[in-house]
Amino acid sequence: RRCESHTCVLSEEEDRTEEVEPVGGDDEWTAACDSLPLPHISLDGLWETLIFEQRIKTGLLDYAQSALLFSDKSVSPHLVHWNRILLLHGPPGTGKTSLCRALAHKLAIRLVHKFPKSTLLGIHSHSLFSKWFSTSGKLVSTLFQMVRDMLQDDPTTLVCVLIDEVESLASSRSNSSGGDPGDAMRAVNSLLTSLDRLRSFPNVLVLATTNLTTLVDEAFVDRVDFKVHIGMPILKARFHILRSCLEELVRVGIIVV
């Protein structure tokens, strides 16, 4: 098996909140996402501390690198349909969001020869639902226009878009209930259209998580290339998690042996 080594400089910049202009009757800017330069010191070592079955982490890396390779080699989208969207689903508290963030950090290091700069955009899903009637779809559209501008302005920057709790933005249109179902439907339509428009950019990867797969719109799920179920840790993983926690407490002197 070939062994590779990668060197990088870890950013210490604080994440920056990106806002979108007011729409409809609102007069306030909306905090749409957080932008974090990668690789980042806050994520250093996170990948190694996450205990999953090896096939899960290997599969995610292989998928992400293959997806970006297909774009790099100009594989025809008419013959090989590839959206560069992955979805982690499963019960809460199993590390889905941390795994997405760690994956983005890992890719920033491994692909530095192709993408000298990388950015993690954490979408504020709940903020994009406006109190003003029928404006949520416009907010989603405005946000993803900003993402497309980033991708177009600097093709050498890899942008990983993290949509945590994706059911907030892509709730099933067949099960709409409560609030304004029309506004929710427009938001889903806008998200799907925006994701389709991202397909032409070779320097973007969309990472999504959900605890509630049954509430996610089928059209979004159909666009996902790679779905991974993250379940409760198996016995071996629980042992490693407990051991690593105890070792850390010993290291800092809280537990004395």
Side-chain angles (χ1 to χ4, degrees), residues 5 10 15 21 29 37 41 60 67 84 94 97 102-103 108 127 195 204-205 229 237:
S5 61
L10 298 175
D15 58 348
E21 295 183 23
W29 286 60
I41 192 168
L60 287 174
R84 295 188 303 283
T94 53
T97 303
L103 175 63
S127 299
L195 291 174
V204 63
L205 185 68
H229 179 261

Side-chain angles (χ1 to χ4, degrees), residues 41-65:
I41 192 168
S42 65
L43 301 175
D44 186 36
L46 177 60
W47 179 265
E48 290 72 24
T49 63
L50 295 172
I51 308 298
F52 297 98
E53 294 179 49
Q54 186 58 39
R55 62 179 180 82
I56 290 179
K57 295 169 79 172
T58 301
L60 287 174
L61 272 176
D62 288 346
Y63 157 76
Q65 292 181 124

Side-chain angles (χ1 to χ4, degrees), residues 217-234:
D217 193 81
E218 290 183 6
F220 175 83
V221 177
D222 285 343
R223 284 166 169 77
V224 174
D225 302 314
F226 194 47
K227 309 176 191 70
V228 181
H229 179 261
I230 307 296
M232 300 303 291
I234 60 175

Side-chain angles (χ1 to χ4, degrees), residues 179-196:
D180 176 12
D183 194 32
M185 186 173 294
R186 281 185 284 271
V188 177
N189 291 339
S190 182
L191 174 65
L192 297 176
T193 300
S194 298
L195 291 174
D196 289 342

Side-chain angles (χ1 to χ4, degrees), residues 6-248:
H6 305 271
T7 59
C8 66
V9 177
L10 298 175
S11 173
E12 296 185 30
E13 292 181 35
E14 293 187 2
D15 58 348
R16 184 177 69 251
T17 299
E18 305 287 354
E19 299 181 320
V20 295
E21 295 183 23
V23 295
D26 207 346
D27 58 356
E28 296 182 1
W29 286 60
T30 300
C33 65
D34 290 329
S35 174
L36 184 72
L38 297 176
H40 197 272
I41 192 168
S42 65
L43 301 175
D44 186 36
L46 177 60
W47 179 265
E48 290 72 24
T49 63
L50 295 172
I51 308 298
F52 297 98
E53 294 179 49
Q54 186 58 39
R55 62 179 180 82
I56 290 179
K57 295 169 79 172
T58 301
L60 287 174
L61 272 176
D62 288 346
Y63 157 76
Q65 292 181 124
S66 297
L68 295 168
L69 176 64
F70 277 30
S71 296
D72 188 36
K73 297 297 184 180
S74 300
V75 174
S76 172
H78 304 297
L79 298 176
V80 181
H81 200 63
W82 207 257
N83 292 308
R84 295 188 303 283
I85 303 174
L86 71 82
L87 174 66
L88 303 186
H89 61 97
T94 53
K96 297 183 294 297
T97 303
S98 295
L99 186 54
C100 284
R101 291 169 62 83
L103 175 63
H105 177 83
K106 196 81 168 174
L107 289 172
I109 296 172
R110 288 199 172 193
L111 301 175
V112 68
H113 60 284
K114 176 171 175 55
F115 300 110
K117 293 184 290 183
S118 296
T119 301
L120 175 64
L121 292 183
I123 305 300
H124 292 188
S125 302
H126 297 285
S127 299
L128 296 175
F129 276 94
S130 172
K131 61 186 176 185
W132 298 101
F133 179 75
S134 77
T135 57
S136 298
K138 295 175 184 176
L139 286 173
V140 173
S141 180
T142 302
L143 165 63
F144 278 92
Q145 179 60 58
M146 182 184 71
V147 175
R148 291 195 298 275
D149 290 343
M150 291 177 59
L151 296 168
Q152 195 166 17
D153 290 346
D154 190 356
T156 64
T157 294
L158 172 65
V159 178
C160 295
V161 180
L162 172 58
I163 311 177
D164 205 14
E165 298 180 355
V166 71
E167 70 276 0
S168 299
L169 282 183
S171 59
S172 175
R173 288 169 291 183
S174 61
N175 295 329
S176 294
S177 61
D180 176 12
D183 194 32
M185 186 173 294
R186 281 185 284 271
V188 177
N189 291 339
S190 182
L191 174 65
L192 297 176
T193 300
S194 298
L195 291 174
D196 289 342
R197 289 176 178 169
L198 288 184
R199 197 183 300 157
S200 61
F201 294 95
N203 53 325
V204 63
L205 185 68
V206 178
L207 316 170
T209 73
T210 183
N211 304 329
L212 306 165
T213 22
T214 57
L215 298 185
V216 181
D217 193 81
E218 290 183 6
F220 175 83
V221 177
D222 285 343
R223 284 166 169 77
V224 174
D225 302 314
F226 194 47
K227 309 176 191 70
V228 181
H229 179 261
I230 307 296
M232 300 303 291
I234 60 175
L235 182 60
K236 182 178 179 180
R238 278 178 269 170
F239 169 77
H240 282 293
I241 293 170
L242 179 59
R243 185 179 67 179
S244 63
C245 291
L246 291 174
E247 288 175 345
E248 177 64 10

